[in-house]
Amino acid sequence: MMVEAATPRPRYALIDMGRGIALIAMVIYHAFWDLSYLRFFSVDVSADLGWVIFARTILASFLFLVGVGLVLSHGKAIRWRTFWKRLAILVAAAALITFATVMVFPDAFVYFGILHAIALFSLMALPFLRAPLWLVVVVALVIMALGWGYSDPFFNERAFSWLGFWTIPPLTNDLVPIFPWFGVVLGAIVTTRLLIASGRMATLDVVKASNPPKRALAKLGRWTLVIYLVHQPLLLGALYPLSLVLRPGAEFQQQQFLSQCQSTCLAGGTGPDQCTTYCQCGLTGVIDNDLWDGVNSGRPTPSEQAALNTITQACSALIYPVAPK
């Protein structure tokens, strides 16, 4: 049976700096997400392809580093006291995120975000720290293949969406499902174990925190959880009052409406010219009927919803006219 390791885990500046870089990238993404949410930035960060790729790259980086850290900390023998202490901190932090987002975003609160995933994945990864490498590789590939290749409407329900097989993304501000993302942690475990087995871990120690920028990155990487917990309250705490004072102008609001409408329309398979006509029609209807409150809140009143439905039908008729009888 594995016992508590007597020797401390090795610390590599390169890994700490990697966490620091991922952390800076995450803060940049969330800053622009906030700007988009508060309508200072016309691009829908949560849907734009470039921003989505950026966000998933950041997520993959964090999860890969989780796998690396697990091998370095517990690869020879699981340090149970350290493991349970960190897991308890992660679970408490994840619960705090859920509570806070229920208060701020009740319709899109975070119920299985990055911290929830790291806590669960850390526990799930323990058997793979010493399992045969071929088995870890096979499981990682199967998890990633299923995550990217299988879906079923059954998993659209919130209760099952954390597995990752939905056909329609659930309404939440952060979701990191087991499939395919646990496969990234396993991939990191395989990579790190191969480096250790080949005697090449020393190559990671070549990079030192030898100058102020590198030392700053390494220090950031050692405070990842704390910075993750405080950065969004600080960002929103600064930007939200600013939005109340400056209030994004009508032109910006209209541009954002058209951009989001065009993206949704094109994703539905309608041609670009038809989408332009449809969205311009919709914008005119929203302006003429003063429906911005219902559009911006995402929760229109029954009368606003009825007006929006009428506009949608009228604009749809422009691009899909009913054939005369």
Side-chain angles (χ1 to χ4, degrees):
M1 181 178 176
M2 293 182 287
V3 298
E4 184 88 12
T7 56
R9 65 168 258 189
R11 184 133 217 148
Y12 297 94
L14 180 62
I15 293 174
D16 286 332
M17 285 188 282
R19 289 194 185 98
I21 292 170
L23 191 62
I24 291 171
M26 179 196 68
V27 172
I28 291 172
Y29 173 80
H30 282 159
F32 277 92
W33 189 96
D34 294 343
L35 289 169
S36 176
Y37 175 74
L38 295 171
R39 305 186 184 281
F40 284 108
F41 185 52
S42 60
V43 177
D44 184 356
V45 169
S46 63
D48 180 79
L49 179 60
W51 283 102
V52 169
I53 292 173
F54 183 48
R56 290 184 179 177
T57 301
I58 297 167
L59 173 59
S61 301
F62 274 119
L63 293 178
F64 190 88
L65 290 167
V66 167
V68 173
L70 284 169
V71 176
L72 294 180
S73 293
H74 309 289
K76 292 182 179 179
I78 298 177
R79 303 155 67 215
W80 287 109
R81 186 176 305 169
T82 301
F83 178 83
W84 291 123
K85 179 180 177 182
R86 177 161 179 76
L87 186 66
I89 292 171
L90 283 169
V91 170
L96 179 62
I97 291 294
T98 296
F99 175 77
T101 54
V102 165
M103 296 296 103
V104 181
F105 306 106
D107 294 330
F109 71 94
V110 177
Y111 55 89
F112 197 76
I114 179 65
L115 294 184
H116 305 72
I118 290 175
L120 179 60
F121 293 175
S122 297
L123 196 59
M124 291 172 59
L126 291 183
F128 297 98
L129 296 179
R130 301 187 70 181
L133 269 177
W134 66 265
L135 178 61
V136 187
V137 171
V138 169
V139 173
L141 291 175
V142 168
I143 287 174
M144 287 190 279
L146 285 173
W148 289 321
Y150 172 74
S151 62
D152 190 285
F154 174 80
F155 297 96
N156 293 347
E157 295 294 328
R158 180 174 288 171
F160 309 107
S161 60
W162 56 277
L163 291 169
F165 301 126
W166 64 74
T167 57
I168 300 173
L171 182 60
T172 176
N173 284 329
D174 187 24
L175 181 57
V176 184
I178 293 175
F179 297 83
W181 293 109
F182 182 54
V184 176
V185 176
L186 293 182
I189 289 173
V190 170
T191 302
T192 310
R193 286 181 58 182
L194 285 173
L195 284 173
I196 292 173
S198 64
R200 294 179 181 176
M201 282 301 293
T203 58
L204 296 182
D205 211 24
V206 171
V207 178
K208 303 287 186 182
S210 54
N211 56 47
K214 290 181 179 179
R215 283 195 291 272
L217 281 176
K219 189 168 290 187
L220 277 177
R222 297 188 192 110
W223 291 90
T224 304
L225 181 58
V226 173
I227 296 172
Y228 179 85
L229 290 174
V230 304
H231 81 283
Q232 270 291 53
L234 291 175
L235 285 171
L236 283 172
L239 292 173
Y240 182 70
L242 194 62
S243 72
L244 296 178
V245 174
L246 298 180
R247 293 192 178 275
E251 183 179 350
F252 173 88
Q253 196 172 42
Q254 293 169 20
Q255 288 176 350
Q256 188 177 48
F257 177 92
L258 289 173
S259 175
Q260 293 175 348
C261 176
Q262 192 82 2
S263 297
T264 303
C265 182
L266 291 171
T270 305
D273 292 340
Q274 291 174 305
C275 284
T276 299
T277 300
Y278 173 80
C279 293
Q280 190 61 56
C281 170
L283 176 61
T284 301
V286 169
I287 294 172
D288 290 347
N289 293 274
D290 193 20
L291 295 172
W292 285 117
D293 287 344
V295 171
N296 292 336
S297 68
R299 290 175 287 185
T301 64
S303 61
E304 288 173 336
Q305 186 61 62
L308 288 169
N309 291 342
T310 300
I311 293 168
T312 299
Q313 292 171 2
C315 295
S316 296
L318 291 177
I319 58 175
Y320 297 117
V322 178
K325 295 182 179 180

